[in-house]
Amino acid sequence: MTQPHSDIFDDIYFAAEDGLGESRYVFFDQNNLPAAWEHRQNFTICETGFGTGLNFLCAMDLFTKTAKKSAKLTYISFEKYPLSSTEIRKYLIPWQDQLGKNLDLLCAFYPPRIGGWHHIALTPQIDLLLILDDVNRAIPELDEAVTKVDCWFLDGHAPAKNPDMWSDILFENMARLSNPNASFATFTAAGSVKSGLPQHGFEVIKARGFGRKRDMIKGHFCAQHCAV
């Protein structure tokens, strides 16, 4: 398997030992998915760092299999340095059997790597808003009257490698856009993230990390300053 690596941040996109298992454990198990959308007609996930699209394809597969047939998933993801569809296929092809035809669908409808907001209706149930821009520049442009987030996937490159992404601007806008009790999960347990999120109304809980990683954090929006 070709290990996806960002030369810009000198960081990997997912765990070498099992990227799919990491995605499911960190972002789905810790956000209580699919149970969180079980009785919902509309559900919105917002992600920092589209990367290879692995989290999105997992969400697409799980939502299609478990949500009501009339339900709709809106998936918003930011990516400043997008991969090509060829690179995405190369990195994710080892999981073709598990991701099914969704990988082919994503690659077929994947937009050109031109900055901006790309709205992609992949199926009647699944809408992808792929924002090819710096998250800290673009996220303030999301209108909270239209966009209310139920679940956050904080999946940019590690804070030590990409400190600019993990900013107060991000945390402030997470609070602005979150529905009551919106959940979040992230692979990192960096001190700046653990201390920054509570200052903007998120309860932070430390959890066991995936594989060889000791710790990660998760939590929910409580709409007031919270203790770490």
Side-chain angles (χ1 to χ4, degrees):
M1 174 182 173
T2 303
Q3 178 64 28
H5 181 274
S6 168
D7 293 334
I8 295 169
F9 297 107
D10 188 23
D11 195 17
I12 59 174
Y13 281 96
F14 48 69
E17 59 269 27
D18 185 3
L20 182 60
E22 179 185 41
S23 178
R24 287 171 171 167
Y25 174 79
V26 172
F27 297 106
F28 293 86
D29 293 353
Q30 307 306 318
N31 275 305
N32 194 32
L33 300 174
W37 63 50
E38 184 177 0
H39 302 294
R40 298 286 300 277
Q41 192 62 35
N42 295 284
F43 196 86
T44 298
I45 296 171
C46 192
E47 174 186 51
T48 57
F50 188 75
T52 65
L54 180 58
N55 292 336
F56 169 69
L57 290 170
C58 287
M60 187 177 180
D61 178 66
L62 192 62
F63 194 85
T64 302
K65 290 176 178 175
T66 64
K68 296 185 295 183
K69 296 304 179 186
S70 60
K72 173 83 75 142
L73 173 66
T74 299
Y75 194 102
I76 302 167
S77 189
F78 297 88
E79 181 55 63
K80 188 176 181 180
Y81 301 104
L83 298 173
S84 68
S85 61
T86 301
E87 289 172 312
I88 287 172
R89 182 180 294 280
K90 177 178 70 174
Y91 293 142
L92 299 187
I93 201 68
W95 298 300
Q96 174 80 61
D97 290 346
Q98 289 137 296
L99 299 174
K101 64 180 181 180
N102 293 336
L103 176 56
D104 295 331
L105 198 60
L106 174 62
C107 290
F109 286 92
Y110 192 75
R113 291 186 286 177
I114 298 170
W117 295 35
H118 301 269
H119 296 261
I120 309 165
L122 286 164
T123 76
Q125 279 191 293
I126 312 290
D127 281 346
L128 170 63
L129 172 56
L130 183 55
I131 301 175
L132 302 183
D133 200 347
D134 186 320
V135 63
N136 288 309
R137 199 204 70 77
I139 195 170
E141 297 180 6
L142 285 172
D143 184 352
E144 68 269 28
V146 177
T147 301
K148 299 301 289 186
V149 176
D150 300 294
C151 176
W152 295 89
F153 291 177
L154 302 183
D155 194 29
H157 288 291
K161 304 280 189 177
N162 183 22
D164 291 344
M165 194 208 83
W166 304 86
S167 70
D168 279 341
I169 294 173
L170 171 61
F171 302 149
E172 287 168 8
N173 283 278
M174 285 175 62
R176 179 178 67 86
L177 295 165
S178 285
N179 268 324
N181 296 312
S183 67
F184 78 88
T186 178
F187 63 90
T188 186
S192 60
V193 182
K194 286 195 294 185
S195 62
L197 283 165
Q199 295 175 29
H200 298 283
F202 290 87
E203 180 184 19
V204 172
I205 301 166
K206 187 165 69 172
R208 180 177 61 83
F210 177 80
R212 293 173 292 178
K213 191 167 178 58
R214 187 177 65 181
D215 299 320
M216 59 165 285
I217 57 175
K218 62 180 180 177
H220 70 278
F221 183 55
C222 51
Q224 59 188 359
H225 291 336
C226 303
V228 178

